[in-house]
Amino acid sequence: MCARGMVVSAPGKVILHGEHAVVLGKVALAVALDLRTFLRLQPHAEGLLRLCLPGVGVQRSWDTACLGELRGRIAGKAWEEEEHAAARVITEQLDALREFAGIAAGASAPESLATLAFLYMCLAISAKYGDVPSVDILVWSQLPTGAGLGSSAAYAVCLAAALLMACGAISCPLEEGESTARWTEEELRLINSWAFQGERVIHGNPSGVDNAVGTWGGALRYQSGKITPLKRVPTLRILLTNTKVPRSTKVLVAGVKEKMLKFPAVMNPVLDSIDAISQECQSVLEAMPANPSPEHYPVLEEFFDINQHHLNVLGVGHPSLDRLCQVTASHGLHSKLTGAGGGGCGITLLRPDTSPQAVEAAKQDLCAYGFECWETKIGAPG
């Protein structure tokens, strides 16, 4: 591992098109968001593993020898990083880790899940690749938690990269004098597979999309469990808005399913249209140059408008999202919800010729409703 400290980072994600339809076998496009989670790894020789997560109020340290003993006690439960690891095995391991860390059964607060994922990944990775590392790990993020922006996946990707490096499973890519570097494709695949395990600890049954976007960046097509990176993706400016309206993804997904069962002849064409938008948008993005000019944007803006109407038809809109779309439209901008809907976040496309004054005016109007806005980019590196 690197003898010196280093920082790794991973991006969040937004769904560009295909929300809800993806659950029913249609295509979704997920893109990396240029808001990132950062992890600083500092090796030392004190025999302690320290975790500091100021964003969720976690500051814990464990004796590496005690962690090694714990790992040995539950070794019979077969640590496994592969995606087909038995859910029962992971449940037994997590129960033992909860007891060790003093985390109540069923605790779902971000600090509890983040600590549990950290301990699971640390012990599982060290069981396969070496001793429990003696390091300080500090994690901070530009991503809000619980907003559907892939914050937990970005955390898991950073943890996987840092712990694999600390245990010697992957190289330290930074050469002396360099400020940035990337791992090989093979090492990125290993990072992704372990990040998926961290996501399983946090979410139970994730799709794998969020951690894949966090690992590779750019844009991915997802359909029925198959993840395909887009060949080439331009970096597009967006306004990301968090309405701060809480919602339950599970309830929204169930509502769409109920509508599908009630009105199949009405709803199936809507899903087919969302699927077509995702596929058409993929073609448009892959044909666009790296720095697109304004004439490339009208079709993307129309896709935003049409898909937002479709999502309202599916019943996952919300008055806060309608307000977001109306406010940005008054400034000549086009928006849609991203993720589960029912509140949560929306994205607004910004053309290269959108004036800073128009963006600032839109942000001020949105913030006046209590929303939170970030001017950022999609198509960011992993």
Side-chain angles (χ1 to χ4, degrees):
M1 74 173 272
C2 291
R4 61 190 187 280
M6 69 179 300
V7 173
V8 297
S9 73
K13 75 93 183 51
V14 291
I15 301 295
L16 198 58
H17 292 293
E19 295 91 343
H20 291 283
V22 71
V23 178
L24 298 155
K26 306 301 184 184
V27 172
L29 298 180
V31 289
L33 187 61
D34 201 20
L35 294 173
R36 303 180 77 84
T37 291
F38 299 86
L39 180 153
R40 190 187 72 202
L41 174 77
Q42 195 70 48
H44 56 77
E46 296 169 34
L48 290 173
L49 177 65
R50 297 191 189 99
L51 175 67
C52 182
L53 309 173
V56 290
V58 170
Q59 188 146 7
R60 303 283 300 263
S61 64
W62 299 274
D63 183 271
T64 54
C66 289
L67 287 172
E69 286 172 21
L70 173 67
R71 188 184 71 186
R73 285 202 305 274
I74 53 181
K77 297 177 176 62
W79 298 104
E80 178 63 87
E81 93 278 14
E82 297 300 329
E83 294 181 13
H84 49 70
R88 177 189 57 78
V89 169
I90 290 178
T91 301
E92 289 174 14
Q93 292 167 338
L94 293 181
D95 288 345
L97 291 175
R98 278 192 196 93
E99 188 179 343
F100 171 79
I103 297 169
S108 60
E111 60 271 23
S112 300
L113 294 174
T115 303
L116 194 61
F118 173 76
L119 285 171
Y120 177 85
M121 291 173 72
C122 180
L123 295 198
I125 287 171
S126 65
K128 193 171 178 77
Y129 298 108
D131 295 331
V132 176
S134 182
V135 292
D136 289 348
I137 286 180
L138 167 68
V139 183
W140 67 100
S141 187
Q142 299 167 328
L143 292 159
T145 56
L149 300 176
S151 61
S152 67
Y155 170 66
V157 170
C158 287
L159 276 187
L163 292 169
L164 286 165
M165 197 168 52
C167 290
I170 59 176
S171 65
C172 174
L174 270 183
E175 299 291 339
E176 199 67 55
E178 285 184 340
S179 59
T180 59
R182 276 180 73 79
W183 283 280
T184 65
E185 189 60 29
E186 188 180 345
E187 287 172 327
L188 287 171
R189 280 198 294 271
L190 187 62
I191 290 167
N192 185 57
S193 70
W194 280 105
F196 181 73
Q197 284 301 94
E199 277 279 84
R200 290 180 79 183
V201 173
I202 294 168
H203 291 300
N205 187 30
S207 67
V209 169
D210 288 16
N211 51 275
V213 173
T215 302
W216 280 283
L220 301 173
R221 170 192 169 117
Y222 179 81
Q223 184 175 26
S224 304
K226 188 181 179 196
I227 298 171
T228 313
L230 269 61
K231 292 189 207 72
R232 193 171 52 113
V233 188
T235 303
L236 304 176
R237 288 170 61 222
I238 63 159
L239 198 58
L240 173 70
T241 302
N242 185 359
T243 66
K244 299 187 183 175
V245 174
R247 72 276 184 271
S248 163
T249 300
K250 191 182 282 187
V251 168
L252 289 158
V253 168
V256 172
K257 197 171 181 184
E258 190 182 333
K259 261 195 170 64
M260 292 298 305
L261 292 171
K262 197 172 177 183
F263 307 113
V266 175
M267 301 309 292
N268 278 319
V270 178
L271 289 183
D272 289 341
S273 182
I274 292 173
D275 186 60
I277 289 170
S278 295
Q279 299 199 53
E280 290 280 333
C281 184
Q282 177 181 346
S283 301
V284 170
L285 290 175
E286 290 185 328
M288 284 171 83
N291 296 301
S293 52
E295 66 263 20
H296 291 101
Y297 280 75
V299 66
L300 294 178
E301 291 173 339
E302 284 197 71
F303 287 159
F304 266 40
D305 295 342
I306 298 166
N307 202 358
Q308 178 61 22
H309 290 306
H310 285 342
L311 289 160
N312 279 327
V313 171
L314 292 183
V316 297
H318 188 270
S320 64
L321 293 163
D322 293 340
R323 194 168 295 126
L324 188 162
C325 292
Q326 287 158 7
V327 167
T328 54
S330 73
H331 295 280
L333 303 170
H334 301 255
S335 305
K336 66 175 286 290
L337 69 84
T338 182
C345 291
I347 50 176
T348 305
L349 199 58
L350 301 177
R351 295 184 184 212
D353 57 351
T354 303
S355 73
Q357 292 84 354
V359 176
E360 198 50 45
K363 282 167 74 173
Q364 283 182 6
D365 287 354
L366 290 166
C367 291
Y369 284 105
F371 301 160
E372 194 172 5
C373 296
W374 299 267
E375 192 180 340
T376 183
K377 297 184 181 79
I378 52 175

